[in-house]
Amino acid sequence: MKKLATLFQDSYNELKSVRTITTMAMFAAIGVILGSLTIQIGDFIKIGFSTIANQFVYYLFGPAAGCLFGGALDILKYLVKPTGAFFPGWTLSAMAAGLLYGCFFYKRKLSVGRVLAAELTVSVVCNMILGTLWLHMMYGKGFFVLLPMRVVKNLIMWP
């Protein structure tokens, strides 16, 4: 538990550096550009590429910075290119993803197993469970009606 607290403290301390903030801003710009390359499949499934830039921030600066970065970038991408109504649940999912990725990657050696475990965890928690819950709340569609197609999409995207 102490190791996790140290991880968060170190990540929080990263936010005090001007170099960190400017690096995060450059990755945010890349994320916004890659976010415009989203592929829409039907009404409820989107495949996006902005997470590529986000992964660098999570790896370099950790869970605290990643959480703030994920939330801020979600709002920024909505302001630049709004798609539908704004729903704060998606911002919470982006923050949770930043937190989880930061915990998996920050100050750790990257391996295929670690990356796959992080992707699976974020896919299950943020995309399958929370994402399906947000769609259920927004559109009134049944949670268990939406879940199977989102599970298939996330299993395809996992590797």
Coordinates of all heavy atoms in Angstrom, one line a residue, residues 9-64:
Q9 N 2.2 10.0 -5.1 CA 2.9 11.2 -4.6 C 3.9 11.6 -5.7 O 4.1 12.8 -6.0 CB 3.6 11.0 -3.3 CG 4.3 12.2 -2.7 CD 3.3 13.3 -2.4 OE1 2.2 13.1 -1.9 NE2 3.6 14.5 -2.8
D10 N 4.7 10.7 -6.2 CA 5.7 11.0 -7.3 C 5.0 11.6 -8.5 O 5.5 12.5 -9.1 CB 6.5 9.8 -7.7 CG 7.4 9.3 -6.5 OD1 7.6 10.1 -5.6 OD2 7.9 8.2 -6.6
S11 N 3.9 11.0 -8.9 CA 3.1 11.5 -10.0 C 2.6 12.9 -9.8 O 2.6 13.7 -10.7 CB 2.0 10.5 -10.3 OG 1.2 11.0 -11.4
Y12 N 2.1 13.1 -8.6 CA 1.6 14.4 -8.3 C 2.7 15.5 -8.3 O 2.6 16.6 -8.8 CB 1.0 14.4 -6.9 CG 0.6 15.8 -6.4 CD1 -0.6 16.4 -6.9 CD2 1.3 16.5 -5.4 CE1 -0.9 17.7 -6.5 CE2 1.0 17.7 -5.0 CZ -0.1 18.3 -5.5 OH -0.5 19.6 -5.1
N13 N 3.9 15.1 -7.9 CA 5.1 16.0 -7.9 C 5.5 16.3 -9.3 O 6.1 17.4 -9.6 CB 6.2 15.4 -7.1 CG 5.9 15.4 -5.6 OD1 5.1 16.2 -5.1 ND2 6.6 14.5 -4.9
E14 N 5.2 15.4 -10.2 CA 5.6 15.7 -11.7 C 4.8 16.9 -12.2 O 5.3 17.6 -13.0 CB 5.2 14.4 -12.5 CG 6.0 13.2 -12.3 CD 7.2 13.1 -13.1 OE1 7.5 14.1 -13.9 OE2 7.9 12.1 -13.0
L15 N 3.6 17.1 -11.6 CA 2.7 18.2 -12.1 C 3.3 19.5 -11.8 O 2.8 20.6 -12.3 CB 1.3 18.0 -11.6 CG 0.5 16.9 -12.1 CD1 -0.8 16.7 -11.3 CD2 0.2 17.1 -13.6
K16 N 4.3 19.6 -10.9 CA 4.8 20.9 -10.4 C 5.9 21.4 -11.4 O 6.4 22.5 -11.2 CB 5.4 20.8 -9.0 CG 4.3 20.4 -8.0 CD 4.9 20.3 -6.6 CE 3.8 19.9 -5.6 NZ 4.4 19.6 -4.3
S17 N 6.2 20.6 -12.4 CA 7.3 21.0 -13.3 C 6.7 21.6 -14.6 O 5.7 21.1 -15.2 CB 8.1 19.8 -13.7 OG 8.9 20.0 -14.8
V18 N 7.3 22.7 -15.0 CA 6.8 23.4 -16.2 C 7.1 22.5 -17.5 O 6.3 22.4 -18.4 CB 7.5 24.8 -16.4 CG1 7.2 25.4 -17.8 CG2 7.2 25.7 -15.3
R19 N 8.2 21.8 -17.4 CA 8.5 20.8 -18.5 C 7.4 19.8 -18.7 O 7.0 19.4 -19.8 CB 9.8 20.2 -18.3 CG 10.2 19.2 -19.4 CD 11.6 18.7 -19.2 NE 12.5 19.8 -19.5 CZ 13.8 19.7 -19.3 NH1 14.4 18.6 -18.8 NH2 14.6 20.7 -19.6
T20 N 6.9 19.3 -17.5 CA 5.8 18.3 -17.6 C 4.6 18.8 -18.2 O 4.0 18.2 -19.0 CB 5.6 17.8 -16.1 OG1 6.7 17.2 -15.6 CG2 4.4 16.8 -16.1
I21 N 4.2 20.0 -17.7 CA 3.0 20.6 -18.3 C 3.1 20.9 -19.8 O 2.1 20.6 -20.5 CB 2.7 22.0 -17.5 CG1 2.5 21.7 -16.0 CG2 1.4 22.7 -18.1 CD1 1.4 20.8 -15.6
T22 N 4.2 21.4 -20.2 CA 4.3 21.7 -21.7 C 4.4 20.4 -22.5 O 3.8 20.3 -23.6 CB 5.6 22.5 -22.0 OG1 6.7 21.9 -21.4 CG2 5.5 23.9 -21.4
T23 N 5.0 19.3 -21.9 CA 5.0 18.1 -22.6 C 3.6 17.5 -22.7 O 3.2 17.0 -23.8 CB 6.0 17.1 -21.9 OG1 7.3 17.6 -21.8 CG2 6.0 15.7 -22.6
M24 N 2.9 17.6 -21.6 CA 1.5 17.1 -21.6 C 0.7 17.9 -22.6 O -0.2 17.3 -23.3 CB 0.9 17.2 -20.2 CG 1.5 16.2 -19.2 SD 1.0 16.4 -17.5 CE -0.8 16.2 -17.6
A25 N 0.9 19.2 -22.7 CA 0.2 20.0 -23.7 C 0.4 19.6 -25.1 O -0.5 19.6 -26.0 CB 0.5 21.5 -23.5
M26 N 1.7 19.3 -25.4 CA 2.0 18.8 -26.8 C 1.4 17.5 -27.1 O 0.8 17.3 -28.2 CB 3.5 18.7 -26.9 CG 4.2 20.1 -27.0 SD 5.8 20.2 -27.7 CE 6.8 19.5 -26.4
F27 N 1.4 16.6 -26.1 CA 0.7 15.3 -26.3 C -0.8 15.5 -26.4 O -1.5 14.8 -27.1 CB 1.0 14.3 -25.2 CG 2.3 13.6 -25.4 CD1 3.4 13.8 -24.5 CD2 2.5 12.8 -26.5 CE1 4.6 13.1 -24.7 CE2 3.7 12.1 -26.7 CZ 4.8 12.3 -25.8
A28 N -1.4 16.5 -25.7 CA -2.8 16.8 -25.8 C -3.1 17.3 -27.2 O -4.1 16.9 -27.8 CB -3.2 17.9 -24.8
A29 N -2.2 18.1 -27.8 CA -2.5 18.6 -29.2 C -2.4 17.4 -30.2 O -3.3 17.3 -31.1 CB -1.4 19.6 -29.6
I30 N -1.5 16.5 -30.0 CA -1.5 15.3 -30.8 C -2.7 14.4 -30.6 O -3.3 13.9 -31.6 CB -0.2 14.5 -30.5 CG1 1.0 15.2 -30.9 CG2 -0.2 13.1 -31.2 CD1 2.3 14.6 -30.4
G31 N -3.2 14.3 -29.3 CA -4.4 13.6 -29.0 C -5.6 14.2 -29.7 O -6.5 13.4 -30.2
V32 N -5.7 15.5 -29.7 CA -6.9 16.1 -30.4 C -6.9 15.8 -31.9 O -7.9 15.5 -32.5 CB -6.9 17.7 -30.1 CG1 -7.9 18.4 -31.0 CG2 -7.2 17.9 -28.6
I33 N -5.7 15.9 -32.5 CA -5.6 15.6 -33.9 C -6.0 14.2 -34.2 O -6.7 13.9 -35.1 CB -4.2 16.0 -34.4 CG1 -4.0 17.5 -34.4 CG2 -4.0 15.4 -35.9 CD1 -2.5 17.9 -34.6
L34 N -5.4 13.2 -33.4 CA -5.7 11.8 -33.6 C -7.2 11.5 -33.3 O -7.8 10.6 -33.8 CB -4.8 11.0 -32.7 CG -3.3 10.9 -33.2 CD1 -2.5 10.1 -32.2 CD2 -3.2 10.3 -34.6
G35 N -7.8 12.3 -32.3 CA -9.2 12.1 -32.0 C -10.1 12.5 -33.1 O -11.2 12.0 -33.2
S36 N -9.6 13.3 -34.0 CA -10.5 13.6 -35.2 C -10.5 12.5 -36.2 O -11.3 12.5 -37.2 CB -10.0 14.9 -35.9 OG -8.7 14.7 -36.4
L37 N -9.7 11.5 -36.0 CA -9.6 10.4 -37.0 C -10.4 9.2 -36.5 O -10.2 8.0 -36.8 CB -8.1 9.9 -37.1 CG -7.2 11.0 -37.7 CD1 -5.8 10.4 -37.7 CD2 -7.6 11.4 -39.0
T38 N -11.4 9.5 -35.6 CA -12.3 8.4 -35.1 C -13.2 7.8 -36.1 O -13.7 8.5 -37.0 CB -13.2 9.0 -34.0 OG1 -12.3 9.6 -33.0 CG2 -14.1 8.0 -33.3
I39 N -13.3 6.5 -36.1 CA -14.1 5.7 -37.0 C -15.4 5.4 -36.2 O -15.4 4.7 -35.2 CB -13.4 4.4 -37.4 CG1 -12.1 4.7 -38.2 CG2 -14.4 3.6 -38.3 CD1 -11.3 3.5 -38.4
Q40 N -16.6 5.8 -36.8 CA -17.9 5.5 -36.2 C -18.5 4.3 -36.8 O -18.6 4.2 -38.0 CB -18.8 6.8 -36.4 CG -20.1 6.7 -35.8 CD -20.1 7.0 -34.3 OE1 -19.2 7.8 -33.9 NE2 -21.0 6.5 -33.5
I41 N -18.8 3.3 -36.0 CA -19.5 2.1 -36.5 C -20.8 2.0 -35.8 O -20.9 1.7 -34.6 CB -18.6 0.8 -36.2 CG1 -17.2 0.9 -36.7 CG2 -19.3 -0.4 -36.6 CD1 -16.3 -0.1 -36.3
G42 N -21.9 2.3 -36.6 CA -23.2 2.4 -36.0 C -23.4 3.5 -35.0 O -22.6 4.5 -35.0
D43 N -24.4 3.4 -34.2 CA -24.7 4.5 -33.3 C -24.0 4.4 -32.0 O -23.8 5.5 -31.3 CB -26.2 4.5 -33.0 CG -27.1 4.8 -34.2 OD1 -26.6 5.6 -35.0 OD2 -28.2 4.4 -34.2
F44 N -23.5 3.3 -31.6 CA -23.0 3.1 -30.2 C -21.5 2.7 -30.1 O -21.0 2.5 -29.1 CB -23.8 2.1 -29.4 CG -25.3 2.5 -29.4 CD1 -26.2 1.8 -30.1 CD2 -25.7 3.6 -28.6 CE1 -27.6 2.2 -30.0 CE2 -27.0 4.0 -28.5 CZ -27.9 3.3 -29.2
I45 N -20.9 2.5 -31.3 CA -19.5 2.0 -31.3 C -18.6 3.0 -32.0 O -18.9 3.3 -33.2 CB -19.4 0.6 -31.9 CG1 -20.2 -0.4 -31.0 CG2 -17.9 0.2 -32.0 CD1 -20.1 -1.8 -31.5
K46 N -17.5 3.5 -31.4 CA -16.5 4.3 -32.0 C -15.1 3.7 -31.8 O -14.9 3.2 -30.7 CB -16.5 5.7 -31.4 CG -17.7 6.5 -31.7 CD -17.6 8.0 -31.4 CE -17.2 8.2 -29.9 NZ -17.2 9.6 -29.5
I47 N -14.3 3.8 -32.8 CA -12.9 3.3 -32.6 C -12.0 4.6 -32.8 O -12.1 5.2 -33.9 CB -12.5 2.2 -33.7 CG1 -13.4 1.0 -33.4 CG2 -11.1 1.9 -33.6 CD1 -13.3 -0.1 -34.5
G48 N -11.3 4.9 -31.8 CA -10.5 6.1 -31.8 C -9.0 5.8 -31.7 O -8.6 4.7 -31.3
F49 N -8.2 6.8 -32.0 CA -6.7 6.6 -32.0 C -6.0 7.6 -31.1 O -4.8 7.6 -31.0 CB -6.2 6.8 -33.5 CG -6.8 5.8 -34.4 CD1 -7.8 6.2 -35.3 CD2 -6.4 4.5 -34.5 CE1 -8.4 5.3 -36.2 CE2 -6.9 3.6 -35.4 CZ -7.9 4.0 -36.2
S50 N -6.8 8.5 -30.4 CA -6.1 9.5 -29.6 C -5.5 8.8 -28.3 O -4.6 9.4 -27.7 CB -7.1 10.5 -29.1 OG -8.1 10.0 -28.3
T51 N -5.8 7.6 -28.0 CA -5.2 7.0 -26.8 C -3.8 6.7 -27.0 O -3.0 6.5 -26.1 CB -5.9 5.6 -26.5 OG1 -5.9 4.8 -27.6 CG2 -7.4 5.9 -26.1
I52 N -3.3 6.7 -28.3 CA -1.9 6.5 -28.5 C -1.1 7.6 -27.9 O -0.1 7.3 -27.2 CB -1.6 6.4 -30.1 CG1 -2.3 5.2 -30.7 CG2 -0.1 6.4 -30.3 CD1 -2.4 5.2 -32.2
A53 N -1.4 8.8 -28.1 CA -0.7 9.9 -27.5 C -0.9 9.9 -25.9 O 0.0 10.3 -25.2 CB -1.2 11.3 -28.0
N54 N -2.1 9.6 -25.5 CA -2.4 9.5 -24.1 C -1.4 8.6 -23.3 O -1.0 8.8 -22.2 CB -3.8 9.1 -23.8 CG -4.8 10.1 -24.4 OD1 -4.5 11.0 -25.1 ND2 -6.1 9.9 -24.1
Q55 N -1.2 7.4 -24.0 CA -0.4 6.4 -23.3 C 1.0 6.9 -22.9 O 1.6 6.5 -21.9 CB -0.2 5.2 -24.3 CG -1.4 4.5 -24.7 CD -2.1 3.7 -23.7 OE1 -1.5 3.4 -22.6 NE2 -3.4 3.5 -23.9
F56 N 1.6 7.8 -23.8 CA 2.9 8.4 -23.4 C 2.8 9.2 -22.2 O 3.7 9.2 -21.3 CB 3.4 9.2 -24.6 CG 3.9 8.4 -25.8 CD1 3.1 8.3 -26.9 CD2 5.1 7.8 -25.7 CE1 3.5 7.6 -28.0 CE2 5.5 7.0 -26.8 CZ 4.7 6.9 -27.9
V57 N 1.7 10.0 -22.0 CA 1.6 10.8 -20.8 C 1.4 9.9 -19.6 O 2.1 10.1 -18.5 CB 0.4 11.7 -20.9 CG1 0.1 12.4 -19.6 CG2 0.6 12.7 -22.0
Y58 N 0.7 8.8 -19.7 CA 0.5 7.9 -18.5 C 1.8 7.2 -18.1 O 2.1 7.1 -17.0 CB -0.6 6.9 -18.9 CG -1.9 7.4 -19.4 CD1 -2.6 6.7 -20.3 CD2 -2.4 8.6 -18.9 CE1 -3.8 7.2 -20.8 CE2 -3.6 9.1 -19.4 CZ -4.3 8.4 -20.3 OH -5.5 8.9 -20.8
Y59 N 2.6 6.9 -19.1 CA 3.8 6.2 -18.9 C 4.9 7.2 -18.3 O 5.6 6.9 -17.3 CB 4.4 5.6 -20.2 CG 5.8 5.1 -20.1 CD1 6.0 3.9 -19.4 CD2 6.9 5.7 -20.6 CE1 7.3 3.4 -19.2 CE2 8.2 5.2 -20.5 CZ 8.4 4.1 -19.8 OH 9.7 3.6 -19.7
L60 N 4.9 8.4 -18.8 CA 5.9 9.3 -18.4 C 5.6 10.0 -17.0 O 6.5 10.3 -16.2 CB 6.1 10.4 -19.4 CG 6.7 10.0 -20.7 CD1 6.6 11.2 -21.8 CD2 8.2 9.6 -20.5
F61 N 4.3 10.3 -16.8 CA 4.0 11.1 -15.6 C 3.1 10.5 -14.6 O 2.8 11.1 -13.6 CB 3.3 12.4 -16.1 CG 4.2 13.1 -17.1 CD1 3.8 13.3 -18.4 CD2 5.5 13.5 -16.8 CE1 4.5 14.0 -19.4 CE2 6.3 14.2 -17.7 CZ 5.8 14.4 -19.0
G62 N 2.6 9.3 -14.8 CA 1.9 8.5 -13.7 C 0.4 8.7 -13.6 O -0.2 9.4 -14.4
P63 N -0.2 8.1 -12.5 CA -1.6 8.1 -12.4 C -2.3 9.4 -12.0 O -3.3 9.7 -12.6 CB -1.8 7.1 -11.3 CG -0.5 7.0 -10.5 CD 0.5 7.3 -11.5
A64 N -1.6 10.2 -11.2 CA -2.3 11.5 -10.8 C -2.3 12.5 -12.0 O -3.3 13.0 -12.4 CB -1.5 12.2 -9.7

